[in-house]
Amino acid sequence: MTPTITAFESSPDRGQGLARDMRVRWALEEAGQPYDVRLVSFKAMKEPAHRALHPFGQIPTYEEGGVALFESGAIVFHVAQRHAGLLPDEANARARAITWMFAALNTIEPPIIDLQTAKFAEGDKPWTAERLPLIKDRIRARLGELSDYLGEAEWLDGAFSAGDLVMVHALLRLRPSGMLDEYPNLAAYVARGEARPAFKRAFAAQLAVFTGKPAT
Ligand SMILES: N[C@@H](CCC(=O)N[C@@H](CSCc1ccc([N+](=O)[O-])cc1)C(=O)NCC(=O)O)C(=O)O
């Protein structure tokens, strides 16, 4: 059965791949799985029908047969559990790849979201100017540790996995800030992710929603 995901009817980033449906699209493309998309307005996201799928009134969600999921990381994991291409078969390598999914979501993404929040939701607060350097220092601390770990490796732990998918997408949010380019091996790592045919198909599909032109 073809799953249906939800995505922004009109993404604030103008379809530049930063919204989290991008992770689900990318995972489905890596798994070679077709999917349908239901576009949701900001207003509709907060209404009962959508909240029945997503208690927090957000996107993405995932529906397939009898299962309805939210949380982009959980959806990526669900896809990775059911299709080859996103998690190793070998138990220990699989466990490490899942560890990197959690690291991306729990250790790398939160300080990056802090920066977005400070910039876009708290920019007018008197304390933001004082707080911004602290937020950036916390991001740089994590990026430095990740950069040291990755070194010149192609992916985080052997073959490309869902851990890389979530990590690359979390790091992409940093690109507009310029901070990613302070770590050349991380910038190259993200570029490798973006060079993947599955990423390109997912990006084109998400952009097509915004431009209204069919993804080529
Ligand atoms: N933890 C959840 C977080 C989901 C989430 O933050 N959803 C956002 C879209 S992705 C976050 C996002 C939004 C916009 C951009 N952008 O650049 O325009 C990038 C990322 C949303 O629905 N926001 C609407 C709302 O909360 O009312 C997950 O990983 O799925």
Side-chain angles (χ1 to χ4, degrees):
M1 187 173 200
T2 302
T4 298
I5 71 169
T6 51
F8 278 135
E9 187 176 71
S10 180
S11 178
D13 69 339
R14 309 172 68 78
Q16 289 309 303
L18 300 180
R20 289 188 178 88
D21 61 294
M22 179 65 198
R23 299 171 184 180
V24 176
R25 292 171 182 272
W26 186 4
L28 288 162
E29 291 288 356
E30 291 283 354
Q33 296 303 307
Y35 62 96
D36 295 324
V37 183
R38 185 169 64 250
L39 300 177
V40 188
S41 68
F42 279 96
K43 178 175 177 297
M45 261 180 231
K46 308 304 179 194
E47 289 168 1
H50 186 73
R51 283 193 188 272
L53 284 176
H54 199 310
F56 308 117
Q58 294 185 308
I59 58 100
T61 60
Y62 174 99
E63 298 163 89
E64 182 194 11
V67 70
L69 303 175
F70 61 99
E71 281 301 332
S72 59
I75 297 167
V76 169
F77 182 62
H78 180 76
V79 173
Q81 289 277 78
R82 278 152 187 75
H83 304 288
L86 284 164
L87 287 174
D89 292 328
E90 195 279 310
N92 292 342
R94 191 180 189 91
R96 291 196 307 271
I98 293 166
T99 296
W100 279 111
M101 287 183 73
F102 279 88
L105 294 166
N106 259 358
T107 298
I108 298 294
E109 189 163 59
I112 295 172
I113 301 305
D114 249 2
L115 180 62
Q116 309 297 322
T117 304
K119 279 184 174 178
F120 302 113
E122 300 170 349
D124 58 342
K125 298 289 185 261
W127 31 264
T128 293
E130 190 179 348
R131 190 164 174 261
L132 264 181
L134 301 174
I135 293 171
K136 290 184 176 179
D137 287 349
R138 283 195 284 270
I139 292 173
R140 288 191 174 99
R142 291 299 184 214
L143 292 186
E145 291 163 333
L146 183 64
S147 176
D148 291 347
Y149 168 84
L150 182 71
E152 296 313 310
E154 187 181 27
W155 305 113
L156 289 165
D157 188 301
F160 175 83
S161 78
D164 294 296
L165 187 152
V166 181
M167 185 66 81
V168 165
H169 191 258
L171 292 173
L172 265 176
R173 281 293 279 282
L174 260 188
R175 176 155 307 141
S177 74
M179 291 176 76
L180 193 58
D181 293 331
E182 296 172 20
Y183 305 85
N185 69 328
L186 293 184
Y189 168 68
V190 169
R192 281 193 293 275
E194 293 177 291
R196 293 180 69 88
F199 178 99
K200 290 180 177 179
R201 290 193 298 271
F203 185 94
Q206 192 192 56
L207 180 60
V209 168
F210 190 80
T211 61
K213 297 190 185 82
T216 46

